[in-house]
Amino acid sequence: MRNFFRKKSSTLVCGNTNPIKPCQKFIIVQNGTNPTTDYYLKDRFPENLTSIFDIHDIPPADDYIYEDALVVFCRYASSQWLKTIREKQNLISGCILFLDDDMDGLLQNPRVSKSYKKRLLKNHFQHLSTLSSVLNEIWVSTPYLQTIYKNAKTVLSPIPPKLSELKKQGTQNTVIISYHATKVHTPEYLWIAPVLKRILNKYDNVCAHVIGPYPNHQDRLPRTLYSRQINWNDYPFLAGTYQADISLAPLIKNAENDARSHTKAFEVARQNAVGIFCN
């Protein structure tokens, strides 16, 4: 069986060897609202100089949009955007791809759902050849990802949300334990579920809230509210309403999780909870 937990290098390269020119504005291209843009890119550049577009948007035709602009693709790209960037390459200051995941590892991982892999193939892998030809630089979120993407020279630290975005929690009579994740982290849920079950059985004043993993009714824990995976457009607001006392954030040891940064701490803060982190 192929070893999915070994370190591996990506073949993604930066085909545009010209240095990035001084820029006057910024263009972020993303696949819908998402935590990667919010934590790493949106607040890194001046708001009045930054335009954010979706990969499914028709790229603007006006040359002024691109003049002296630094273009940052957040994880994904599209044929129409890459075609436009190639046509406007003499106008822009440079083109960057930002990654906060080991994309090759996710594609090879047998635990990752087929639907997620289809999205990776559609929005990332099928564009790699064209994307590489326009890239000046690759930015990543952790030093570990630099070992995967050998051409990555810059590591960005996440930017915490503004204090105004973090909801305040009132007094509660019960203890709420949360586990908020995506379906990719179902193995972590299966790991903590027996521990959580023992706690719920022992303490009548404890309840739990799980987002992401969605087990069958017969496999659900007592006094536990299950919610399907929530898109990032809604999560920052809803996290403030899903206040918790303790938020669990385990990571199973594997190559994909080795690439993770510490943005989970921000999601714990949104719930005004104490975080328990482990791997």
Side-chain angles (χ1 to χ4, degrees):
M1 180 181 292
R2 184 183 298 174
N3 183 0
F4 291 100
F5 300 95
R6 62 179 174 83
K7 279 192 176 183
K8 48 200 175 298
S9 297
S10 170
T11 57
L12 181 62
V13 297
C14 299
N16 187 346
T17 58
N18 294 321
I20 292 177
K21 297 177 289 189
C23 66
Q24 301 296 324
K25 48 186 177 283
F26 306 88
I27 295 174
I28 298 172
V29 185
Q30 62 177 12
N31 184 24
T33 54
N34 65 89
T36 304
T37 298
D38 283 5
Y39 285 146
Y40 289 96
L41 301 175
K42 188 177 68 174
D43 293 331
R44 193 168 299 276
F45 311 125
E47 184 177 0
N48 63 324
L49 299 177
T50 304
S51 301
I52 300 178
F53 298 97
D54 193 275
I55 59 171
H56 303 293
D57 293 337
I58 297 174
D62 191 345
D63 284 351
Y64 174 76
I65 302 275
Y66 305 94
E67 288 177 355
D68 301 320
L70 181 64
V71 179
V72 183
F73 286 96
C74 181
R75 294 173 59 100
Y76 304 115
S78 68
S79 298
Q80 57 186 355
W81 268 99
L82 289 172
K83 179 177 181 292
T84 298
I85 295 307
R86 292 187 75 170
E87 293 171 350
K88 311 289 187 183
Q89 203 153 18
N90 291 333
L91 296 175
I92 65 174
S93 73
C95 184
I96 290 167
L97 173 66
F98 177 73
L99 295 170
D100 63 343
D101 262 323
D102 175 3
M103 309 297 262
D104 298 80
L106 288 172
L107 189 66
Q108 296 177 31
N109 192 329
R111 298 186 307 273
V112 175
S113 68
K114 290 182 179 179
S115 61
Y116 190 83
K117 289 181 179 180
K118 286 182 179 179
R119 187 170 72 178
L120 289 176
L121 289 169
K122 177 183 178 183
N123 296 327
H124 180 77
F125 286 98
Q126 77 167 0
H127 304 296
L128 285 188
S129 177
T130 308
L131 184 58
S132 294
S133 71
V134 299
L135 281 183
N136 296 87
E137 292 185 11
I138 299 170
W139 294 352
V140 293
S141 61
T142 62
Y144 175 86
L145 284 176
Q146 283 187 302
T147 68
I148 303 297
Y149 299 100
K150 299 296 186 181
N151 290 279
K153 305 300 182 185
T154 301
V155 177
L156 300 185
S157 295
I159 300 173
K162 298 179 178 66
L163 288 176
S164 59
E165 297 179 16
L166 304 178
K167 300 284 185 176
K168 298 300 181 182
Q169 180 183 16
T171 302
Q172 299 183 14
N173 296 321
T174 58
V175 176
I176 301 174
I177 300 176
S178 71
Y179 177 68
H180 293 184
T182 64
K183 290 182 289 186
V184 169
H185 292 288
T186 295
E188 279 82 358
Y189 167 75
L190 295 176
W191 182 73
I192 65 170
V195 178
L196 191 53
K197 183 177 182 178
R198 289 200 296 270
I199 294 172
L200 291 164
N201 287 338
K202 184 174 182 179
Y203 300 101
D204 292 336
N205 67 322
V206 175
C207 61
H209 182 220
V210 174
I211 293 178
Y214 204 75
N216 296 326
H217 285 281
Q218 65 269 21
D219 298 323
R220 296 184 182 184
L221 300 174
R223 297 193 309 284
T224 299
L225 173 65
Y226 289 90
S227 301
R228 294 188 184 276
Q229 183 173 320
I230 298 174
N231 69 59
W232 185 252
N233 197 42
D234 299 327
Y235 181 79
F237 171 78
L238 292 175
T241 66
Y242 296 143
Q243 296 287 275
D245 297 286
I246 300 169
S247 185
L248 305 178
L251 285 179
I252 289 177
K253 178 68 175 178
N254 60 46
E256 290 69 53
N257 283 339
D258 284 343
R260 308 280 178 191
S261 185
H262 55 276
T263 56
K264 180 60 69 174
F266 303 153
E267 295 171 19
V268 171
R270 291 182 190 278
Q271 303 169 65
N272 205 21
V274 173
I276 298 179
F277 304 85
C278 64
N279 54 23

